[in-house]
Amino acid sequence: MSAQHDPNCVFCKIVAGQIPSRKVYEDEDLFVFHDIHPWAPVHFLMVPKVHIPSMAQVGPEHERLMGRLLTLAPKLALEQGCNPYPEGGFRIVCNTGQEGGQEVHHLHVHVIGGPRPWAKG
Ligand code: AMP
Ligand code: ZN
């Protein structure tokens, strides 16, 4: 693996296919898969394939990557069963650092939605 990946990182392992996941979407830069402990009828995670630990490490070199990630989110949300805006919608969450509630230190965006009630949130 190149320096762009962390051999001890669970999401790098998912991207590499070394840990199984339920894949939603993949392209050259992004990997998207269902959260293993969903809070809601729809709950998937969007990650860059390169290992960026969190939003705290994002810089100008990531503008295109992060722009693509965020602009893809609404399309995948609808495809995965979120209802249309405004009655439906979804929540985008990006926990950053310990005080931000981040548990897995590979940048990931949660996309959460679907009919309520939700288990959490
Ligand atoms: P956080 O770092 O707090 O934003 O959340 C990490 C998320 O990753 C949690 O919602 C976990 O359920 C999820 N998660 C951890 N391991 C896996 C895995 N192997 N496959 C899918 N989701 C996972
Ligand atoms: Zn990683």
Side-chain angles (χ1 to χ4, degrees), residues 11 14 33-37 45 95 101-104 108 110:
F11 287 176
I14 284 178
F33 54 100
H34 292 281
D35 196 292
I36 206 165
H37 294 126
L45 303 175
N95 299 323
Q102 184 178 7
E103 290 178 0
V104 177
H108 54 280
H110 297 251

